[in-house]
Amino acid sequence: MKLSSRLRLSFGSTVSAIGLVITTPALAQVEPAASTSVQGQLDAAMALIREQSRRIDSQAAEIAALRARLDANGVPPVAGARTANGGSPTSVGATAAPVAPNRTSPAAGALAQQSSITPLERVGQAPEDSDRPLEIAVLDSQGSVVSRKGQLTGEVQFDYARSDRSRAVFRGIELIESILVGVFDINESRQDVLTASGSLRYGLTKRLEVGVRVPYVYRSDTSIVTPIAGSTNDDAAATIDSSVKGNGIGDIEVSARYQIRDGKNGSPYLIANLQGILPTGRDPFSIPRDSLGRATAAATGSGFYGIAPSITAILPSDPVVLFGTLGYTFNLGKAVNTRLPPVIISYVDPGDSISLSAGIGIAFNQRATLNIGYAHSWAFGTKTRTRLIDPTPEWPGERQTTSRQLQIGRLLFGVTYRVSDRASLNWSVEAGATEDATDVRTSLRIPLVLLSGG
């Protein structure tokens, strides 16, 4: 029994030893096999990433080609349109649709997620949320691109203008420097003008627009001429205080606008404007006057025909818009035959003027825009022919005089707010920057699309 037990113990130990020797190499062989499996999965994941990257690059190239075709043909992008092979929408600001990531590949999923949040947008142009044209508040009716064919736009406008001037006038003799003998007058004049107007603009073609504007004017003029105390024998009697008011239809304006350039490929919009002024308001030379020639009512119109061609440039460059205008106004003279003792004014030719304005618009978002700019007009002298009511040997006939030229500078400030795809609010303020300019003018315009074009 003892020998058998020893034999069994020896045999068992030998078998265990042999098993240990056999098991140890087997375990050593498992590690290379597992390493080979992980390397294969990594190679497969990298291959999948390369394939998805290739597909994304291919779709991006297709989107770029479609956008180039849309820009060349002038066709607006269609929301939701897809490429021939199931690509992404071609609207501005759309992103390339990523290939569905492999659930078993975290690296591929991360790459697809990164590509899905990177928008492919056109440089220098903000995504449009409506088809409303650009509008510049401080440029009045010339501050937008031309309406589409068949589109009818109505506009209500309210204006207030204030002018307040004080001048000292000397009539006498200057003996030596700073010693004056004569009469000193202080001339104070104030003018308030309220205007409410309605206008219509209609697109005849995709480039040509016509319009008409009819204003209603309320005007109040106050003038005080007072001699400085001691310069006359009767200062109180010499003081002249006059105040007149008037209201009625103002001068009707008709216009035509042609869009020369469409603002594609980074170029500006160019619009040619032609405006005609019809003297439908109360003529300042035909209003009633007293025996001294002083007006007893205020005029509501200029009394002269005018033609004003101009050109407007608007350059969108996200997030700002640069704009500028250059124009010339022709005023047509006429015979007036107005009696202003001691003369009769027989003919008046208002001076023409050249105007220039420029500025910048800053977009805060898709609805609100701030406009800042400067405008300057150079008005040439008005020619007037007069004759004395009682001619003298020194002045037996008609004389012609020319008034001084005017420099009218204005600082511009405006805000545009797009209420909806059909309506917007434009508020602007002009502050006089030169002596000849109106002190302040503020305007509120409310354009509304009544009919949408094709």
Side-chain angles (χ1 to χ4, degrees):
M1 292 297 292
K2 293 181 179 180
L3 181 61
S4 300
S5 299
R6 292 179 178 177
L7 289 175
R8 285 196 297 271
L9 179 60
S10 176
F11 179 76
S13 299
T14 303
V15 172
S16 299
I18 294 173
L20 178 62
V21 173
I22 294 174
T23 304
T24 301
L27 292 173
Q29 294 176 359
V30 172
E31 293 181 0
S35 176
T36 302
S37 177
V38 171
Q39 182 65 36
Q41 292 180 4
L42 180 61
D43 292 341
M46 293 302 296
L48 180 60
I49 291 174
R50 287 193 295 270
E51 176 62 19
Q52 291 179 341
S53 178
R54 185 190 65 79
R55 292 184 180 182
I56 292 174
D57 292 341
S58 176
Q59 291 180 346
E62 291 178 0
I63 292 173
L66 289 173
R67 286 177 177 166
R69 291 173 58 187
L70 290 174
D71 290 341
N73 297 331
V75 179
V78 179
R82 306 186 66 84
T83 59
N85 62 351
S88 63
T90 60
S91 59
V92 178
T95 59
V99 179
N102 190 343
R103 298 294 182 183
T104 62
S105 175
L111 178 63
Q113 182 180 8
Q114 181 179 4
S115 66
S116 67
I117 62 176
T118 304
L120 300 176
E121 297 188 2
R122 183 180 301 172
V123 176
Q125 180 172 346
E128 293 291 339
D129 63 350
S130 72
D131 57 0
R132 290 273 295 160
L134 296 169
E135 292 184 18
I136 307 297
V138 297
L139 292 187
D140 203 17
S141 60
Q142 300 176 1
S144 65
V145 298
V146 174
S147 302
R148 298 192 307 270
K149 180 180 179 180
Q151 177 176 303
L152 178 64
T153 303
E155 182 174 293
V156 178
Q157 181 172 339
F158 302 94
D159 294 87
Y160 170 71
R162 167 79 177 197
S163 297
D164 196 344
R165 295 181 176 88
S166 297
R167 289 186 175 92
V169 180
F170 167 69
R171 294 174 292 164
I173 300 173
E174 182 179 1
L175 299 181
I176 58 176
E177 186 177 357
S178 74
I179 298 180
L180 305 175
V181 177
V183 178
F184 298 85
D185 291 340
I186 299 298
N187 188 336
E188 298 181 4
S189 62
R190 295 185 296 272
Q191 185 182 88
D192 297 280
V193 181
L194 291 168
T195 305
S197 62
S199 62
L200 292 174
R201 302 195 302 270
Y202 182 74
L204 291 178
T205 68
K206 66 178 183 179
R207 290 182 177 268
L208 180 62
E209 173 190 279
V210 294
V212 60
R213 176 175 177 266
V214 180
Y216 187 88
V217 179
Y218 171 82
R219 175 175 168 179
S220 175
D221 294 351
T222 301
S223 178
I224 301 175
V225 179
T226 304
I228 294 179
S231 63
T232 65
N233 294 328
D234 189 356
D235 296 334
T239 300
I240 300 176
D241 187 349
S242 62
S243 177
V244 293
K245 298 180 181 180
N247 61 86
I249 298 296
D251 291 343
I252 294 178
E253 302 172 2
V254 294
S255 62
R257 306 173 66 229
Y258 183 80
Q259 188 162 309
I260 302 173
R261 295 184 65 90
D262 295 330
K264 295 180 180 178
N265 301 322
S267 63
Y269 292 91
L270 286 180
I271 302 102
N273 312 289
L274 182 62
Q275 184 181 56
I277 301 172
L278 309 178
T280 54
R282 181 178 294 179
D283 191 332
F285 295 99
S286 63
I287 57 179
R289 298 178 181 273
D290 61 16
S291 58
L292 298 178
R294 294 176 299 188
T296 58
T300 60
S302 65
F304 298 91
Y305 286 94
I307 302 174
S310 64
I311 187 166
T312 300
I314 303 176
L315 177 61
S317 180
D318 187 33
V320 302
V321 176
L322 305 177
F323 60 87
T325 61
L326 177 64
Y328 192 93
T329 301
F330 299 91
N331 291 309
L332 308 181
K334 69 174 184 178
V336 296
N337 295 319
T338 300
R339 184 184 180 95
L340 291 176
V343 299
I344 295 176
I345 302 176
S346 58
Y347 183 84
V348 175
D349 184 8
D352 298 342
S353 64
I354 185 171
S355 60
L356 174 67
S357 65
I360 185 173
I362 304 172
F364 296 113
N365 50 49
Q366 292 296 318
R367 292 183 177 272
T369 304
L370 173 68
N371 310 137
I372 302 174
Y374 177 78
H376 197 95
S377 298
W378 183 2
F380 307 127
T382 297
K383 297 178 180 179
T384 305
R385 290 204 295 264
T386 58
R387 67 178 184 271
L388 286 175
I389 297 176
D390 298 319
T392 64
E394 294 78 12
W395 188 355
E398 195 172 58
R399 288 186 178 181
Q400 179 170 305
T401 58
T402 302
S403 65
R404 70 180 183 90
Q405 299 181 1
L406 303 177
Q407 300 293 336
I408 304 172
R410 298 164 292 155
L411 297 175
L412 310 177
F413 170 84
V415 175
T416 298
Y417 182 77
R418 181 175 296 178
V419 179
S420 66
D421 290 347
R422 289 182 173 267
S424 61
L425 296 175
N426 296 322
W427 174 62
S428 63
V429 175
E430 299 179 5
T434 61
E435 182 181 358
D436 299 321
T438 300
D439 291 341
V440 65
R441 178 177 181 264
T442 182
S443 175
L444 176 64
R445 297 189 297 115
I446 309 175
L448 176 65
V449 177
L450 303 177
L451 292 177
S452 299

